[in-house]
Amino acid sequence: MLKLNTWLLPLLLLLLPMTAQAADISGVPKIRDGDHAQIGKTRIRLAGIDAPGVDQLCLNPKGDRWTCGVAARDALAQHTAGKSWTCHVLRVDKAGRSIAKCEVDGEDLGQWMVKNGWALAYVQYSHAYEGEEKAAREAKIGLWQGSFIAPWDWRVRSAKTQILGATKPPKDARRILLASASGPVAPSPDCTIKGNVNKSGECIYHKPTSRWYAQIRMKISKGTRWFCSVEEAEAAGCRETRR
């Protein structure tokens, strides 16, 4: 047994660099939102940042709503248009997404997103981009030009959700932002799946082709919300309607 182990050890050491290298993914991606992309069949989430989903709305300096989630996605898409990404995979999350640090021409894309105000440093998992976030906040660029809800709070928002921003938010900012999330009009053309809570407390999602879709009234008081994909709805704990 000792001889076998002695023979295997050098081989294993040779394979380790190959294993690490195999974790890297390269290619021109499809941009899903400000921190999600897909290369081939691999879904990727940029490590260390949290960007607004395409369903999220923010307030500009005048207090008007704007589609900041769509803007964040478009900023990333335009910055890397047609270019190949190289993503160093750190781990795979419960949703099957590859959490990765991605680069284009040597530039860290997560860092770029936070530095330009299109994402926040996801300090729950990493403190790598706190300096970039501070600079963006002081420059009042991207999301920081007005008022907004942190992306991680947006996903579980409530009447106590904190309002962020470089300027003093309007008195009714929370009401406006929460209403926009569940109002009668979808916050984005990409976000047309309706979610509601049934009498048993289950979250149910309805695609536009669902039988009861038109009858679901989108009001925050009823616990309704818009989703941009089936994946997002299921990640929030919802199941598809059986009718």
Side-chain angles (χ1 to χ4, degrees):
M1 181 64 71
L2 180 60
K3 291 182 179 179
L4 181 61
N5 287 343
T6 303
W7 175 78
L8 280 175
L9 184 59
L11 179 61
L12 291 172
L13 290 175
L14 286 172
L15 289 175
L16 282 176
M18 295 175 62
T19 303
Q21 187 174 7
D24 288 357
I25 301 169
S26 298
V28 178
K30 293 181 180 178
I31 311 298
R32 300 304 185 189
D33 62 30
D35 55 27
H36 285 84
Q38 185 167 330
I39 297 176
K41 294 183 178 180
T42 303
R43 294 177 294 141
I44 296 169
R45 193 189 197 289
L46 294 178
I49 75 169
D50 202 7
V54 291
D55 69 321
Q56 183 164 345
L57 300 182
C58 300
L59 300 181
N60 65 21
K62 295 181 179 179
D64 299 323
R65 291 180 294 179
W66 64 292
T67 53
C68 57
V70 173
R73 178 198 63 188
D74 292 349
L76 179 60
Q78 291 169 13
H79 184 64
T80 65
K83 295 182 179 180
S84 179
W85 289 24
T86 299
C87 297
H88 312 290
V89 179
L90 306 178
R91 62 185 177 86
V92 177
D93 68 8
K94 294 180 180 179
R97 299 171 301 187
S98 294
I99 309 301
K101 180 179 179 180
C102 298
E103 302 174 351
V104 169
D105 297 332
E107 180 180 56
D108 182 341
L109 295 179
Q111 183 182 49
W112 185 88
M113 288 293 288
V114 177
K115 181 174 67 176
N116 287 276
W118 296 118
L120 301 187
Y122 209 169
V123 293
Q124 181 179 348
Y125 299 99
S126 172
H127 295 273
Y129 305 124
E130 286 185 296
E132 286 79 3
E133 180 180 306
K134 180 181 179 181
R137 181 171 65 248
E138 291 175 351
K140 300 180 182 180
I141 56 177
L143 307 177
W144 297 101
Q145 63 184 279
S147 306
F148 66 98
I149 294 171
W152 52 81
D153 283 336
W154 177 268
R155 294 190 287 270
V156 290
R157 49 195 174 271
S158 70
K160 297 181 180 180
T161 297
Q162 182 181 4
I163 304 298
L164 302 178
T167 57
K168 185 177 180 180
K171 292 182 179 179
D172 56 352
R174 183 178 291 103
R175 178 187 62 78
I176 295 172
L177 290 173
L178 290 177
S180 70
S182 300
V185 179
S188 161
D190 297 323
C191 306
T192 56
I193 296 176
K194 293 180 177 180
N196 73 319
V197 178
N198 65 15
K199 294 180 180 179
S200 300
E202 280 187 295
C203 179
I204 312 296
Y205 70 83
H206 308 257
K207 294 184 287 189
T209 53
S210 300
R211 178 180 178 184
W212 302 111
Y213 185 83
Q215 297 183 36
I216 303 299
R217 304 302 178 192
M218 304 300 285
K219 295 182 179 180
I220 195 168
S221 60
K222 293 186 177 181
T224 58
R225 61 171 292 188
W226 294 96
F227 292 108
C228 304
S229 66
V230 168
E231 177 188 64
E232 181 187 346
E234 292 179 346
C238 303
R239 66 164 176 83
E240 186 173 10
T241 180
R242 297 191 178 100
R243 300 181 181 181

